[in-house]
Amino acid sequence: MRSDPGSPETGVERRDQQEAILKAAAELLAEHGPAGISTRAVATAAGVQTPALYRLFGDKDGLLDALGSYVFESYLAEKRGLEPSEDAIEDIRRGWNIHVEFGLRNPAFYALMYGNLRPGRRPAAAQENGEILRRLLERAREQGRLRVPVETAARAIEASTTGAVLLLLAQPEDERDPTPLTGLRDTVIDSIVSTEPAADVRTGIADRALALLAAVGDGRGADPLVDAGFRATEAALLRDWLSVLSR
């Protein structure tokens, strides 16, 4: 790959060599699955010495991380290119569909990314995918649509999507029916979001506060709050709070 082995390696030559190695590794992965990815096999397929892999990628984990990003790039490009709609929840559903469709179209790549568990390490591409998801969920939170914290919602979606896809990929190819995943998607997303838009949520709170304020009265004469055990000052404070919420 280098025109003069005795000269210093240029940045272009280094990138070209990395590209050749990753291409060879991707072909091995597609043909043999994650079990076919060894440093010796990749070096042989790429026509380089094994030490070159360690020089360029650090170690096997570094090679796997780079390979994950390399084969995941088309998927991430599609996720990055999603134009946000007015409905953040629909954007989350679209993101879910893209994730599942990629996994079922690219089983060996998906198994490498999500099935090759290494505690304490996560491929850079998987991290970026998680960041994209969290940005979508943050938009939903800003719209008043999340009923749980962003991180809780992200964990629920990540666990259900990756678990479901890996379960399907473990089955014979002709038995992989993705149809039930639509129901799973809706069940998970419905469990973490409010079905009302933000404005309706605020209106609902105001209506409930107003109804409660009417039920407890203005405190003149017999005071049901005091009868229930509140001090007069506490009852007055509660009425103030309900008044604020009812606006």
Side-chain angles (χ1 to χ4, degrees), residues 184-229:
L184 174 64
R185 178 201 67 190
D186 293 340
T187 297
V188 172
I189 293 178
D190 289 348
S191 74
I192 62 175
V193 305
S194 169
T195 57
E196 300 176 309
D200 290 342
V201 171
R202 288 194 295 271
T203 300
I205 292 174
D207 289 345
R208 292 182 181 91
L210 192 61
L212 184 55
L213 191 58
V216 300
D218 58 10
R220 296 174 184 172
D223 188 339
L225 291 177
V226 172
D227 291 343

Side-chain angles (χ1 to χ4, degrees), residues 29 34 37 64 67-68 71 107-118 123:
L29 179 63
I37 304 298
L64 292 176
L67 178 59
V71 300
F109 295 155
Y110 194 89
L112 171 69
M113 182 67 62
Y114 291 103
N116 183 34
L117 297 179
R118 289 170 290 160

Side-chain angles (χ1 to χ4, degrees), residues 110-246:
Y110 194 89
L112 171 69
M113 182 67 62
Y114 291 103
N116 183 34
L117 297 179
R118 289 170 290 160
R121 291 188 65 128
R122 196 180 191 194
Q127 291 183 33
E128 182 179 353
N129 186 49
E131 290 164 3
I132 292 172
L133 170 61
R134 283 160 177 78
R135 287 197 293 271
L136 291 174
L137 290 167
E138 183 61 30
R139 285 189 61 245
R141 186 195 65 78
E142 291 170 354
Q143 292 179 3
R145 302 294 302 277
L146 276 191
R147 65 174 68 178
V148 299
V150 166
E151 189 58 30
T152 301
R155 291 294 181 89
I157 290 175
E158 289 176 331
S160 53
T161 51
T162 58
V165 174
L166 289 173
L167 182 63
L168 281 181
L169 295 183
Q171 300 174 6
E173 187 173 356
D174 59 354
E175 297 179 14
R176 295 172 188 166
D177 179 12
T179 305
L181 296 193
T182 300
L184 174 64
R185 178 201 67 190
D186 293 340
T187 297
V188 172
I189 293 178
D190 289 348
S191 74
I192 62 175
V193 305
S194 169
T195 57
E196 300 176 309
D200 290 342
V201 171
R202 288 194 295 271
T203 300
I205 292 174
D207 289 345
R208 292 182 181 91
L210 192 61
L212 184 55
L213 191 58
V216 300
D218 58 10
R220 296 174 184 172
D223 188 339
L225 291 177
V226 172
D227 291 343
F230 285 84
R231 297 187 180 91
T233 53
E234 293 170 339
L237 184 58
L238 177 56
R239 288 187 173 90
D240 285 343
W241 288 342
L242 289 173
S243 179
V244 171
L245 289 173
S246 68

